[in-house]
Amino acid sequence: MNTLLANKNRLGTKEILSKMHDFGNDSEDCISLLQTAFIYDISSPLSECRVKAEAIKREEVALTESIAEISRDYSEVQKYISIPGHLARIAKNLEKLSELIEKKNEDKILFSDKAINEVMFLLQRLAETIRPASDIILARNKFLCKYVEESESGIVKMADEYATFHEERLIRGECLPVASSQFIGMLDAIKNIAWHAKAITLKVLQ
């Protein structure tokens, strides 16, 4: 009986980790959709992004409870218990980005060329951070963890610098005040996503 239970739990653990890994990949896909919507001023990719993000958030409680149950017999699984929550926070910030981009597109809010390039650059860096963060869920690789940590630090540093540059452009009248809150909101969401990606790697490798 104990052997059967152990096999069942091991299978359950594998399935749970695979699902969380898939959600990480879905988050990366969302970033690609956001990039398309942002650069081409179209909103159709945003609906697909929101569907993916909502699916991640919807599974948070069930995944967390499943991990908690399995960890009663296998303490090494405990390190994964906060991962669904971090994935859900990533999804929430992806939704925030989607809403900001949709408002930009619908209200025809103009960003400066520099602001466009800065957002696109950060989104690309973010996509390159999400992928290894999700891979770490299945493959506990210290080198990938180091990469994600350094990437998160770089994203935060650049986003803060871009916020300063933006404030200077605003003072010089090179960008519209209506675009300011949109731009800053995007930077904040990007930084939040990067932070939760780093948190995933640190928890898995603790």
Side-chain angles (χ1 to χ4, degrees):
M1 182 65 179
N2 288 337
T3 301
L4 289 174
L5 179 60
N7 289 336
K8 178 181 178 182
N9 281 344
R10 288 195 186 98
L11 178 61
T13 302
K14 183 178 180 180
E15 291 173 344
I16 289 167
L17 297 184
S18 294
K19 176 165 282 192
M20 291 193 296
H21 175 261
D22 290 344
F23 282 157
N25 290 341
D26 286 345
S27 297
E28 183 189 13
D29 291 341
C30 280
I31 294 171
S32 178
L33 292 167
L34 293 172
Q35 287 176 303
T36 300
F38 179 76
I39 197 67
Y40 294 111
D41 291 325
I42 55 175
S43 295
S44 52
L46 300 177
S47 297
E48 185 177 350
C49 175
R50 282 194 287 266
V51 169
K52 291 178 180 291
E54 182 58 37
I56 296 170
K57 293 195 304 177
R58 189 168 56 244
E59 292 288 335
E60 177 189 2
V61 173
L63 284 172
T64 302
E65 290 178 348
S66 295
I67 294 170
E69 181 179 352
I70 293 172
S71 67
R72 295 191 191 107
D73 296 311
Y74 300 96
S75 59
E76 67 271 18
V77 179
Q78 180 69 28
K79 66 172 66 73
Y80 297 100
I81 199 164
S82 67
I83 306 303
H86 288 300
L87 289 168
R89 300 295 84 72
I90 287 173
K92 185 176 181 180
N93 280 281
L94 288 169
E95 288 179 331
K96 180 181 177 182
L97 279 170
S98 177
E99 292 167 2
L100 290 167
I101 293 172
E102 186 167 51
K103 181 172 178 57
K104 170 189 171 295
N105 292 346
E106 289 183 350
D107 295 352
K108 301 188 184 305
I109 298 172
L110 297 178
F111 276 33
S112 67
D113 289 343
K114 282 190 175 182
I116 291 172
N117 289 336
E118 288 163 357
V119 171
M120 287 298 292
F121 181 75
L122 286 175
L123 286 175
Q124 185 58 40
R125 285 296 305 274
L126 191 60
E128 294 166 358
T129 303
I130 290 289
R131 170 64 71 172
S134 61
D135 287 345
I136 284 171
I137 295 173
L138 294 182
R140 298 172 60 203
N141 187 301
K142 291 183 179 180
F143 294 104
L144 285 180
C145 181
K146 184 67 173 176
Y147 174 81
V148 173
E149 286 187 76
E150 291 176 351
S151 293
E152 187 269 345
S153 178
I155 288 170
V156 170
K157 180 180 178 181
M158 285 185 291
D160 288 342
E161 288 180 354
Y162 291 162
T164 299
F165 297 156
H166 172 74
E167 184 178 348
E168 293 171 353
R169 291 195 297 267
L170 188 62
I171 292 172
R172 293 195 301 266
E174 295 176 6
C175 70
L176 299 173
V178 69
S180 181
S181 62
Q182 301 295 110
F183 181 78
I184 297 300
M186 290 179 189
L187 296 185
D188 287 342
I190 288 169
K191 288 194 295 183
N192 288 339
I193 292 170
W195 187 89
H196 284 288
K198 180 184 71 173
I200 287 172
T201 67
L202 294 178
K203 285 293 184 182
V204 171
L205 288 174
Q206 68 181 10

